[in-house]
Amino acid sequence: MMRERIDFDTNTLISAALFRLSIPRQALDQALLYDDVLVSEATILELTSVLFRPRFDRYLSQAIREVFLASFLPVSYTHLDVYKRQRFRPSQIERL
């Protein structure tokens, strides 16, 4: 079965990070298990900026938010990653 590509926006990722039982978190968890999760470079920048705003301190400690990012970013793909995988052979990607 082919993996789907799921693109998450910043608001959905923020909700997923802050609320473990939320629908966005359930969607993200399912996508990470069964699909390829895509995020744009702009979304990554916005997520890292917004997630560490002081107003979110009441929901999660900064350390837990750092863990969320550290575990999410390595398993997600940027649109450029997908383009490279489709267009180039693995040996060519290493040189990009």
Side-chain angles (χ1 to χ4, degrees):
M1 187 166 133
M2 188 170 172
R3 294 172 64 95
E4 297 289 326
R5 294 183 186 140
I6 310 295
D7 195 347
F8 286 91
D9 68 359
T10 306
N11 289 334
T12 304
L13 293 171
I14 293 290
S15 293
L18 297 179
F19 307 108
R20 297 190 101 162
L21 300 177
S22 67
I23 298 297
R25 180 57 174 261
Q26 293 173 33
L28 178 61
D29 289 345
Q30 289 295 307
L32 289 170
L33 283 174
Y34 301 110
D35 302 305
D36 290 332
V37 174
L38 302 179
V39 289
S40 68
E41 287 83 1
T43 298
I44 292 170
L45 291 173
E46 185 179 14
L47 177 64
T48 55
S49 169
V50 171
L51 193 58
F52 291 100
R53 290 182 181 165
R55 73 178 187 209
F56 295 124
D57 289 347
R58 65 183 167 158
Y59 299 106
L60 289 177
S61 69
Q62 186 167 341
I64 292 174
R65 288 177 274 170
E66 289 172 358
V67 168
F68 174 83
L69 279 179
S71 60
F72 169 71
L73 293 178
V75 295
S76 62
Y77 298 96
T78 64
H79 298 275
L80 181 59
D81 294 331
V82 172
Y83 172 77
K84 287 179 186 177
R85 287 191 336 191
Q86 289 178 341
R87 182 139 168 87
F88 302 101
R89 293 187 305 276
S91 61
Q92 292 173 309
I93 292 174
E94 293 171 6
R95 292 181 283 197
L96 296 178

